[in-house]
Structures are given as C-alpha cells and as structure tokens.
Amino acid sequence: MKHVTLTFDNGPEPDVTPGVLDILAKENVPATFFVLGHKIDDPDRRKLAERAHAEGHWIGNHTFHHDTPLGRVEGPNVPEDEIGRTQELIGDLSHPDKFFRPFGGGGALGPHLLSRPVADFLTAGAYTCVLWNVIARDWADADGWVETAMEIMAPQDQSLVVIHDLPTGAMAHLPRFIDLVREGGGEFQQEFHPDFLPLTRGRVTGDLDACVTDPAAA
Ligand SMILES: [Zn+2]
C-alpha cells in the first residue's frame, strides 16, 4: 500500500467538495479533482474548482456530460463536445499536463473507454490520460467503501484511488480512510505513477490501444 494517490471524480458539488477540501487541507493530502464540464459551466461550482486549485490540488478533465463511455459513442463532434469544451471551461485551472480521465461505467477498464477519434484528439491535444487501479465503489456503498479500498490496496505498492465528491454520504468516511492508510504505513503522493498513464502529454507511454474500441470488432 506504500504509495497512495487520491483522485476525486464527477464534481464539484457545493454540498460535498468544500468539506472534502477542508479534510485534505487539515490532513495535508494533495489530490486531483477530475471535474465534469457541465458542472463547472456553473460559476458557483467553478469557484469550488478554483478553491481546489488555489489549495494545491490538480484539476483534470472528466468529460462534459459523463453519460456514455466514449468508446461507445460515435460522431464527429464527440471529442470536442466532451473533452475540448470541458478543457476550455477548466481554462487556467488546468494542470500543464492536461490530465484527462476517461470513465468506464462502474470503473471497468477496457476498450470501451475511448474511441479512436477520441484517442487521436487526446494525442493531438497533448493530453495525459490517467487510469486507476482502485475502485472503491463509494457511490454504491457509502459506508463500506473504506474497507473495500483498503483490501484492494493492501498488496499493491502503487495505488491510484478513484472516489467521488458526490452527495452520497461516502465522503464522511474520508478522514477515517486517510487515518487507516497512514496507520498501515501508506504515504500519500499527488504524482501519478507512470504505470497509470497510457498517454503522457500526447506521447504514447503505455498500452493506449487497450483503452480504444476496435471499430472492426464493434
Ligand atoms: Zn466518473
């Protein structure tokens, strides 16, 4: 469990994100927030991303709608509508590496994450694609996700955790989670281990093809 990186997806949420930021500040844990375009399009919610950025967290792109995994949607405007538009809204809050996190529906990795046009868009735009290896299912198990995460993380040297700053009640357990990680000898780090980055600033640095729908097989 030694190295643990926290990412908060699908926000920002006015009733949740400020509390998460308070906890992270108190515990001195730097993290990344993968925000949704349709949420930061709202000035009040964008202010929450501004606060996160000002407090040293990184802001990444998690699509505009977060509707269907991008490997399962077609159409010439999908990359721009889902990723480009969100990146514009993130604007100067973006990390220079332009972090993009695809979504899999339930956290599954696989070729449904990206279509070929989306992968090409990310490559041309010098994005960095950030995957994960710990899905705590906090959205479905608000009170049990900490134990789920600890079990997955136990044998791993590097853990990249996906949790959500959503109004599920799950984030009430964030302080306990942080305590358990530290009691178990884990250390929080903001950096993403290269194993989780199939694309780094537009350069293929991992198995990007494993994340791309094969049109021939569709
Ligand atoms: Zn998501």
Side-chain angles (χ1 to χ4, degrees), residues 22-213:
D22 290 345
I23 294 163
L24 297 178
K26 178 166 175 283
E27 299 292 341
N28 195 25
V29 176
T32 297
F33 288 81
F34 284 98
V35 301
L36 299 185
H38 81 261
K39 292 191 176 176
I40 59 164
D41 201 14
D42 166 10
D44 287 339
R45 289 182 189 232
R46 191 175 189 279
K47 285 198 181 73
L48 300 175
E50 289 168 7
R51 179 186 159 190
H53 178 261
E55 294 180 2
H57 304 294
W58 293 339
I59 307 299
N61 181 331
H62 193 40
T63 76
F64 190 89
H65 291 104
H66 198 282
D67 189 2
T68 306
L70 296 186
R72 294 190 178 133
V73 281
E74 290 177 30
N77 301 325
V78 167
E80 182 52 43
D81 287 353
E82 289 296 333
I83 303 169
R85 178 154 61 133
T86 301
Q87 194 63 29
E88 249 171 63
L89 289 165
I90 292 171
D92 58 6
L93 302 180
S94 176
H95 186 281
D97 286 356
K98 295 174 79 172
F99 296 128
F100 173 75
R101 161 158 290 157
F103 64 98
L109 294 165
H112 59 292
L113 294 181
L114 307 173
S115 64
R116 182 56 64 187
V118 166
D120 291 346
F121 182 88
L122 293 171
T123 303
Y127 285 84
T128 297
C129 184
V130 183
L131 301 178
W132 57 85
N133 69 346
V134 180
I135 294 289
R137 296 189 60 80
D138 54 300
W139 69 88
D141 186 11
D143 295 320
W145 69 268
V146 170
E147 282 66 33
T148 303
M150 295 303 293
E151 199 176 313
I152 299 170
M153 289 160 57
Q156 299 178 167
D157 185 52
Q158 296 285 342
S159 289
L160 208 170
V161 181
V162 178
I163 46 183
H164 299 81
D165 47 335
L166 289 174
T168 59
M171 290 304 101
H173 298 284
L174 183 59
R176 184 164 66 87
F177 174 68
I178 292 171
D179 285 349
L180 283 172
V181 167
R182 287 184 166 147
E183 281 166 20
E187 290 171 13
F188 290 99
Q189 65 177 27
Q190 192 170 21
E191 291 74 26
F192 301 120
H193 189 275
D195 283 1
F196 303 109
L197 307 178
L199 191 72
T200 306
R201 289 183 176 237
R203 200 163 46 87
V204 176
T205 45
D207 196 355
L208 185 66
D209 281 348
C211 305
V212 180
T213 303

